Amino acid sequence: MSAAQEVVKAVGGRKNIVSLSHCATRLRFQLVDSSDIKVETVETIKGVMGAVPQSGNRFQIIMGGAVQSVYNEIQELPEMAGSSTPLTDAELKAAGKAGGVRGKFAWVDSFFEFLSDSFRPILGALLGASLFITFMALMSTLGVIGNWADPRTELPPSWQFVNLLWQSVFVFLPLMVAYNASKKIGADPWVGFAIMALVMLPGFRDLGGIEGAYSATIAGSDVTLVDIFGVPLTIFDYSSQVFPPLLMAGVLGPLYKGLKRIIPENLQLIFVPFLAMLVMLPLTAFLIGPIGVYVGAWLASGLQAINAISPFIFAIMIPLVYPFMVPLGLHWPINAIMLLNIQTLGFDYIQGPMGAWNFACFGATAGVLFLAWRDRDAAMRQTATGALAAGLLGGISEPSLYGIHLRFKKIYPRMLTGCLVGGLILGFGGSVTTKAFVFTSLLTIPAFSNIALYGGAVAAAFFTSMLMVIIFDYRTPEQKAASRRSGVEDEPTSEPRVIVVGDVETNQAKQWVAALGGEANINGVELIAETRVRVNVKDSSMVDVEALQRSGLAGAVEVTPGVWHLVAGLEAEQYTEGIRRRLASV
């Protein structure tokens, strides 16, 4: 069975799948009912780095860089081609609200999913553009060209062309966001694209230079206005702005759906887009666009005020709060503020401290990878290798977070130590800025103003987290045993071995079976991690822990309901075989 088939089976089959999409690293399922899905079963599938249940019967599976190919394989499965009975809107809403308390907060997931899906499809373009920016910064640092980010610097024509390569993404970023956000909200994405394109036309900006244009101060900012039919129109440069297209899509979506409800179906192709544009084009130019600019400026000024009061505190605060913001999707608005800073200030001061968090995250993953190699844990080794590569080369933290860190609660304290060390170095060392929006990876270090300070801070964050994980581990004793089991099971087997069980082991096994509730209460037994015996029981209330300890066991722990680990020492294999023979004799 292929990985794609196993994934579909693990989520309940085709009939349980309402929709399937993917982001840069994850398969995103909307399911009819997610209550019966076993996360541990999903995570045993080859290639799966982790699984994340969400409210509203959403379920995400982390695949790392292989997500596109697995997604395509799932779509090509015969059972996926066969269309099941589509759910009605009422059924979809009921499915989204199912699930008890968690379902009541589905709107929170929906909001942050809207933010995420507005940027997710363009992550590749942003990553590619960030590498062009890093190249330009490196050339400037080496003295090959002048300060490429300063508009007063006149570059040679060849380098001017190279400098345009990254601008093709960031100048037109509002159009890309408008398309994705409109699509996510249920409107025609090209209509959203066209609405946002109005305020990006050269002719729109040129209105600010006509004879009737005048200046005014609004919310503490000097802006250019021009009266259109007596109504003042604010002229902005909307390049790289992301808040206006997000707000525009938020209004366009309900309007578009409302028009489709009241206009007959055979007239919708013409009149729904026309009426939507008739309302939204002037509304965006006169109201939504300026509001989006002011909202972004207000948020940016708040962070700038904190940074101005104490850059030291800011350098520590950002890496310490980011690990909690990213899993909730709260980092997307901050990313938008970074872009706004670059447009308005000419530089950004958030990405430097953010790099300390990113590299602390990747360092924790490196520590997990080291332990996985040491313990011969093939599954975790695969997960950590992919996550570390995505982080160090692409600056993407999600595979590490969802595939590893959020699954093991002990990782966060180790990782936060690395965040703190990196933040302290940046705080004591002074400000680190960048003149471009880049993904904080190894490849983009040259894009920062003080390369030595930034490189030293992220290196300290990385190695601190890595060493903390290696020294103090990230697992409970039971999780260690479970992970080591995979290494034992993956070792090639030769000829069957004869296990000699003496009288001591036989008598001991008899006592353990009695303390576990008798032969009838035991479903299965197996050796794990060379020193432990795992026993599955029907009823844990029948297990007498004190009797097990009196019989000579070093420890007995119920790791999950009905699953017990018996710490038996180096003779665990003999004891396991003794219990098996005891059960077989009944």
mmCIF file of all heavy atoms in Angstrom, residues 43-70:
data_model
loop_
_atom_site.group_PDB
_atom_site.id
_atom_site.type_symbol
_atom_site.label_atom_id
_atom_site.label_comp_id
_atom_site.label_asym_id
_atom_site.label_seq_id
_atom_site.Cartn_x
_atom_site.Cartn_y
_atom_site.Cartn_z
ATOM 1 N N GLU A 43 0.878 8.926 12.163
ATOM 2 C CA GLU A 43 2.301 9.245 12.261
ATOM 3 C C GLU A 43 3.207 8.049 11.995
ATOM 4 O O GLU A 43 4.416 8.217 11.866
ATOM 5 C CB GLU A 43 2.600 9.846 13.635
ATOM 6 C CG GLU A 43 1.967 11.227 13.814
ATOM 7 C CD GLU A 43 2.197 11.812 15.197
ATOM 8 O OE1 GLU A 43 2.558 11.021 16.101
ATOM 9 O OE2 GLU A 43 2.006 13.027 15.371
ATOM 10 N N THR A 44 2.639 6.851 11.907
ATOM 11 C CA THR A 44 3.454 5.684 11.560
ATOM 12 C C THR A 44 3.586 5.497 10.060
ATOM 13 O O THR A 44 4.376 4.676 9.608
ATOM 14 C CB THR A 44 2.840 4.401 12.168
ATOM 15 O OG1 THR A 44 1.513 4.218 11.643
ATOM 16 C CG2 THR A 44 2.790 4.484 13.679
ATOM 17 N N ILE A 45 2.834 6.269 9.272
ATOM 18 C CA ILE A 45 2.896 6.149 7.815
ATOM 19 C C ILE A 45 4.243 6.675 7.326
ATOM 20 O O ILE A 45 4.706 7.735 7.755
ATOM 21 C CB ILE A 45 1.747 6.929 7.151
ATOM 22 C CG1 ILE A 45 0.398 6.361 7.608
ATOM 23 C CG2 ILE A 45 1.850 6.879 5.630
ATOM 24 C CD1 ILE A 45 -0.798 7.163 7.141
ATOM 25 N N LYS A 46 4.861 5.977 6.420
ATOM 26 C CA LYS A 46 6.173 6.372 5.907
ATOM 27 C C LYS A 46 6.089 7.737 5.239
ATOM 28 O O LYS A 46 5.236 7.980 4.396
ATOM 29 C CB LYS A 46 6.668 5.330 4.898
ATOM 30 C CG LYS A 46 8.081 5.600 4.404
ATOM 31 C CD LYS A 46 8.567 4.508 3.473
ATOM 32 C CE LYS A 46 9.990 4.794 2.997
ATOM 33 N NZ LYS A 46 10.492 3.740 2.085
ATOM 34 N N GLY A 47 6.989 8.626 5.628
ATOM 35 C CA GLY A 47 7.024 9.965 5.057
ATOM 36 C C GLY A 47 6.283 11.005 5.862
ATOM 37 O O GLY A 47 6.475 12.202 5.659
ATOM 38 N N VAL A 48 5.427 10.573 6.789
ATOM 39 C CA VAL A 48 4.670 11.519 7.615
ATOM 40 C C VAL A 48 5.539 12.006 8.764
ATOM 41 O O VAL A 48 6.109 11.209 9.508
ATOM 42 C CB VAL A 48 3.377 10.864 8.151
ATOM 43 C CG1 VAL A 48 2.710 11.772 9.173
ATOM 44 C CG2 VAL A 48 2.421 10.581 7.012
ATOM 45 N N MET A 49 5.640 13.341 8.899
ATOM 46 C CA MET A 49 6.438 13.928 9.966
ATOM 47 C C MET A 49 5.624 14.202 11.226
ATOM 48 O O MET A 49 6.178 14.423 12.297
ATOM 49 C CB MET A 49 7.058 15.250 9.490
ATOM 50 C CG MET A 49 8.044 15.088 8.358
ATOM 51 S SD MET A 49 8.721 16.705 7.877
ATOM 52 C CE MET A 49 9.942 16.185 6.667
ATOM 53 N N GLY A 50 4.321 14.255 11.091
ATOM 54 C CA GLY A 50 3.472 14.527 12.233
ATOM 55 C C GLY A 50 2.049 14.781 11.786
ATOM 56 O O GLY A 50 1.764 14.912 10.592
ATOM 57 N N ALA A 51 1.130 14.806 12.747
ATOM 58 C CA ALA A 51 -0.286 15.044 12.459
ATOM 59 C C ALA A 51 -0.824 16.034 13.482
ATOM 60 O O ALA A 51 -0.473 15.973 14.666
ATOM 61 C CB ALA A 51 -1.080 13.740 12.500
ATOM 62 N N VAL A 52 -1.689 16.945 13.008
ATOM 63 C CA VAL A 52 -2.202 18.006 13.868
ATOM 64 C C VAL A 52 -3.725 18.079 13.746
ATOM 65 O O VAL A 52 -4.249 18.576 12.748
ATOM 66 C CB VAL A 52 -1.606 19.383 13.492
ATOM 67 C CG1 VAL A 52 -2.059 20.446 14.485
ATOM 68 C CG2 VAL A 52 -0.096 19.312 13.429
ATOM 69 N N PRO A 53 -4.481 17.550 14.723
ATOM 70 C CA PRO A 53 -5.944 17.725 14.709
ATOM 71 C C PRO A 53 -6.278 19.186 14.983
ATOM 72 O O PRO A 53 -5.604 19.850 15.773
ATOM 73 C CB PRO A 53 -6.426 16.821 15.857
ATOM 74 C CG PRO A 53 -5.242 15.988 16.251
ATOM 75 C CD PRO A 53 -4.030 16.767 15.883
ATOM 76 N N GLN A 54 -7.349 19.685 14.331
ATOM 77 C CA GLN A 54 -7.796 21.047 14.546
ATOM 78 C C GLN A 54 -9.293 21.056 14.765
ATOM 79 O O GLN A 54 -9.977 20.058 14.511
ATOM 80 C CB GLN A 54 -7.431 21.938 13.356
ATOM 81 C CG GLN A 54 -5.940 22.128 13.171
ATOM 82 C CD GLN A 54 -5.627 23.106 12.057
ATOM 83 O OE1 GLN A 54 -6.139 22.984 10.951
ATOM 84 N NE2 GLN A 54 -4.789 24.083 12.351
ATOM 85 N N SER A 55 -9.782 22.195 15.242
ATOM 86 C CA SER A 55 -11.221 22.313 15.475
ATOM 87 C C SER A 55 -11.972 22.329 14.152
ATOM 88 O O SER A 55 -11.398 22.541 13.083
ATOM 89 C CB SER A 55 -11.523 23.593 16.258
ATOM 90 O OG SER A 55 -11.123 24.716 15.523
ATOM 91 N N GLY A 56 -13.279 22.104 14.230
ATOM 92 C CA GLY A 56 -14.103 22.133 13.024
ATOM 93 C C GLY A 56 -13.834 20.969 12.099
ATOM 94 O O GLY A 56 -14.003 21.085 10.879
ATOM 95 N N ASN A 57 -13.395 19.806 12.638
ATOM 96 C CA ASN A 57 -13.104 18.616 11.851
ATOM 97 C C ASN A 57 -12.048 18.855 10.780
ATOM 98 O O ASN A 57 -12.089 18.276 9.700
ATOM 99 C CB ASN A 57 -14.389 18.059 11.208
ATOM 100 C CG ASN A 57 -15.282 17.390 12.228
ATOM 101 O OD1 ASN A 57 -14.817 16.607 13.054
ATOM 102 N ND2 ASN A 57 -16.563 17.718 12.204
ATOM 103 N N ARG A 58 -11.098 19.738 11.090
ATOM 104 C CA ARG A 58 -9.941 19.916 10.218
ATOM 105 C C ARG A 58 -8.817 19.025 10.731
ATOM 106 O O ARG A 58 -8.679 18.805 11.922
ATOM 107 C CB ARG A 58 -9.490 21.375 10.203
ATOM 108 C CG ARG A 58 -10.511 22.344 9.635
ATOM 109 C CD ARG A 58 -9.930 23.764 9.656
ATOM 110 N NE ARG A 58 -10.858 24.744 9.132
ATOM 111 C CZ ARG A 58 -11.729 25.420 9.859
ATOM 112 N NH1 ARG A 58 -11.780 25.220 11.170
ATOM 113 N NH2 ARG A 58 -12.540 26.301 9.306
ATOM 114 N N PHE A 59 -8.012 18.554 9.801
ATOM 115 C CA PHE A 59 -6.916 17.665 10.180
ATOM 116 C C PHE A 59 -5.753 17.916 9.229
ATOM 117 O O PHE A 59 -5.929 17.924 8.011
ATOM 118 C CB PHE A 59 -7.356 16.197 10.089
ATOM 119 C CG PHE A 59 -6.444 15.236 10.809
ATOM 120 C CD1 PHE A 59 -6.599 15.008 12.166
ATOM 121 C CD2 PHE A 59 -5.432 14.574 10.134
ATOM 122 C CE1 PHE A 59 -5.760 14.128 12.835
ATOM 123 C CE2 PHE A 59 -4.596 13.698 10.793
ATOM 124 C CZ PHE A 59 -4.760 13.466 12.157
ATOM 125 N N GLN A 60 -4.562 18.150 9.806
ATOM 126 C CA GLN A 60 -3.390 18.439 8.994
ATOM 127 C C GLN A 60 -2.338 17.366 9.195
ATOM 128 O O GLN A 60 -2.126 16.900 10.319
ATOM 129 C CB GLN A 60 -2.814 19.811 9.341
ATOM 130 C CG GLN A 60 -3.775 20.956 9.054
ATOM 131 C CD GLN A 60 -3.109 22.302 9.171
ATOM 132 O OE1 GLN A 60 -1.904 22.400 9.407
ATOM 133 N NE2 GLN A 60 -3.891 23.365 8.997
ATOM 134 N N ILE A 61 -1.696 16.981 8.094
ATOM 135 C CA ILE A 61 -0.642 15.969 8.126
ATOM 136 C C ILE A 61 0.621 16.594 7.567
ATOM 137 O O ILE A 61 0.632 17.085 6.434
ATOM 138 C CB ILE A 61 -1.028 14.722 7.309
ATOM 139 C CG1 ILE A 61 -2.309 14.088 7.887
ATOM 140 C CG2 ILE A 61 0.102 13.714 7.299
ATOM 141 C CD1 ILE A 61 -2.802 12.896 7.110
ATOM 142 N N ILE A 62 1.696 16.607 8.369
ATOM 143 C CA ILE A 62 2.945 17.235 7.948
ATOM 144 C C ILE A 62 3.741 16.252 7.095
ATOM 145 O O ILE A 62 4.089 15.166 7.548
ATOM 146 C CB ILE A 62 3.781 17.676 9.160
ATOM 147 C CG1 ILE A 62 2.998 18.699 10.000
ATOM 148 C CG2 ILE A 62 5.088 18.298 8.722
ATOM 149 C CD1 ILE A 62 2.324 18.128 11.191
ATOM 150 N N MET A 63 4.021 16.653 5.840
ATOM 151 C CA MET A 63 4.768 15.815 4.910
ATOM 152 C C MET A 63 6.114 16.428 4.540
ATOM 153 O O MET A 63 6.917 15.796 3.859
ATOM 154 C CB MET A 63 3.956 15.596 3.627
ATOM 155 C CG MET A 63 2.599 14.965 3.824
ATOM 156 S SD MET A 63 2.636 13.307 4.568
ATOM 157 C CE MET A 63 3.668 12.412 3.427
ATOM 158 N N GLY A 64 6.367 17.662 4.947
ATOM 159 C CA GLY A 64 7.616 18.320 4.570
ATOM 160 C C GLY A 64 7.645 18.645 3.081
ATOM 161 O O GLY A 64 6.626 18.930 2.456
ATOM 162 N N GLY A 65 8.832 18.565 2.499
ATOM 163 C CA GLY A 65 8.996 18.926 1.094
ATOM 164 C C GLY A 65 8.300 18.000 0.120
ATOM 165 O O GLY A 65 8.129 18.346 -1.053
ATOM 166 N N ALA A 66 7.881 16.823 0.570
ATOM 167 C CA ALA A 66 7.223 15.859 -0.317
ATOM 168 C C ALA A 66 5.720 16.083 -0.419
ATOM 169 O O ALA A 66 5.008 15.299 -1.040
ATOM 170 C CB ALA A 66 7.493 14.437 0.167
ATOM 171 N N VAL A 67 5.217 17.166 0.167
ATOM 172 C CA VAL A 67 3.766 17.347 0.250
ATOM 173 C C VAL A 67 3.110 17.420 -1.128
ATOM 174 O O VAL A 67 2.027 16.861 -1.335
ATOM 175 C CB VAL A 67 3.433 18.605 1.094
ATOM 176 C CG1 VAL A 67 3.939 19.871 0.415
ATOM 177 C CG2 VAL A 67 1.948 18.698 1.361
ATOM 178 N N GLN A 68 3.755 18.088 -2.086
ATOM 179 C CA GLN A 68 3.147 18.238 -3.411
ATOM 180 C C GLN A 68 2.977 16.887 -4.096
ATOM 181 O O GLN A 68 1.922 16.587 -4.665
ATOM 182 C CB GLN A 68 4.002 19.156 -4.280
ATOM 183 C CG GLN A 68 3.451 19.382 -5.696
ATOM 184 C CD GLN A 68 2.170 20.180 -5.701
ATOM 185 O OE1 GLN A 68 2.136 21.313 -5.269
ATOM 186 N NE2 GLN A 68 1.088 19.587 -6.206
ATOM 187 N N SER A 69 4.020 16.048 -4.044
ATOM 188 C CA SER A 69 3.936 14.752 -4.719
ATOM 189 C C SER A 69 2.912 13.847 -4.042
ATOM 190 O O SER A 69 2.160 13.140 -4.720
ATOM 191 C CB SER A 69 5.313 14.076 -4.737
ATOM 192 O OG SER A 69 5.806 13.892 -3.421
ATOM 193 N N VAL A 70 2.849 13.850 -2.701
ATOM 194 C CA VAL A 70 1.864 13.028 -2.001
ATOM 195 C C VAL A 70 0.450 13.527 -2.302
ATOM 196 O O VAL A 70 -0.472 12.733 -2.512
ATOM 197 C CB VAL A 70 2.125 13.028 -0.478
ATOM 198 C CG1 VAL A 70 1.037 12.259 0.259
ATOM 199 C CG2 VAL A 70 3.484 12.436 -0.175
#
